[in-house]
Amino acid sequence: MKRDELHLSTRAVHSELDEKRVNRPVASPIYLSATFEAADVEEQIRLEAEGDTFYTRYGNPTLTAVERTLAALEGTESALVFGSGMSAITTTLLSFLGNGDHAVFQREVYGGTFRFAREVLPRFGVEVSFVDCAETEGFRQALRDNTRLVYLESPTNPTLKLVDLSAVAAIAQSRGVKTFIDSTFATPFNTRPGDYGIDGILHSATKYLGGHCDLLGGALAGSREIVRDVRSYLKVLGGILDPHAAYLLLRGVKTLGVRMDRHNRSALAVARAFGGHARVRSVFYPMLESHSQHELARRQMQGGGGVVSLELQGTLETAKRFVNRLELFRIAPSLGGVESLVSIPCLTSHAMLSREEREQAGIRDSLVRLALGIEDAEDLIADIANALAGLG
Ligand SMILES: *Cc1c(COP(=O)(O)O)cnc(C)c1O
């Protein structure tokens, strides 16, 4: 069978090794070794330059197994893993940006990324502009002669706005500018940004890829050249993934297909169930007909993912009472695990923004973010209905 004709879940369980060896273990072993010995000095020189058996900050066979799998899932030549999503993002940006360069970021990015772009990059002489993710032409207007890269995130947290990937990629390409996307919320099950011309695909593997809230990790998928460049900086910046966490990530990612299928179905069912509820002012979910970019969602996404945000009728107090009344949703940051989690963005992920900045981004005080797990949707819907009913 041709490898590049296989579907996602087949790739997820069949990509970790590149050769058919007799009697090999079905589960990749964990190489808990910081360093590797060479047969002679000549071999050591070769291993330092290439391969994954020199020193674990340079590479490690367990990391290679998960990197091969992630590249197969995104349909890219290569991939690289990191110790966290933020390590993937900052290492990649530091690899391509330097004094005198300009970078275009979409305004609604993950909080840590926003801080890095606004506070850290300017300290190294990098100019940064911010653009509304839904305003495709804004990206063209923001490009300058010294623009090195365009940085995207789709869908966004917590209002699930989208970026038109092929349109923005074409604008950047026409000016020779590289595009990077944080695709954590989409996962390769719902969107493969490489198919739309995006150059580098970043993930917080802590979320859906790992899938069990038991590890922190990050990833970059892209061409051999991009991954090679970033790997050379990762060796110096040092934010590598631990081999034990890499094993957990590989184990988690093998079930990505079945988990995402469940997340997509349950989230759509929840979004539909509460659209017309008397206590709910609006529901944010890309696959709802009422979503402002629904057409785009259908064009570039297989499903909407596991996050649904509800803006309640009422105030922050209403949101707090609702969250406290939920029984199956645990009050915790993060998403993408098997357990359902809930958070109030104005108190958590977006607390550092001013009230005006939040209102501008569509994040009211009564907005609640539900990150659905893989429980049965009927039970989650009943839990939400019960918590809403108790609001009086
Ligand atoms: C969680 C998250 C990150 C940061 O990832 P860590 O693994 O926590 O470092 C980046 N982007 C998005 C969209 C996230 O949800």
Side-chain angles (χ1 to χ4, degrees), residues 306-345:
V307 173
V308 182
S309 294
L310 303 180
E311 188 183 311
L312 302 182
Q313 295 281 6
T315 61
L316 177 58
E317 280 313 307
T318 321
K320 284 185 188 167
R321 276 198 290 137
F322 170 70
V323 167
N324 285 334
R325 285 184 53 81
L326 289 167
E327 292 176 41
L328 296 176
F329 290 79
R330 302 177 194 197
I331 304 171
S334 203
L335 62 124
V338 297
E339 300 88 0
S340 288
L341 306 177
V342 60
S343 62
I344 301 177

Side-chain angles (χ1 to χ4, degrees), residues 83-87 89 110 113 151 153 155 157 182-185 203-207 216-218 334-335 369:
S84 69
M86 280 315 300
S87 173
I89 292 163
Y110 181 73
T113 309
Y151 186 96
E153 187 173 315
N157 175 40
D182 181 336
S183 199
T184 300
F185 271 51
H203 285 280
S204 167
T206 313
K207 315 294 167 51
L216 261 87
S334 203
L335 62 124
R369 186 187 82 174

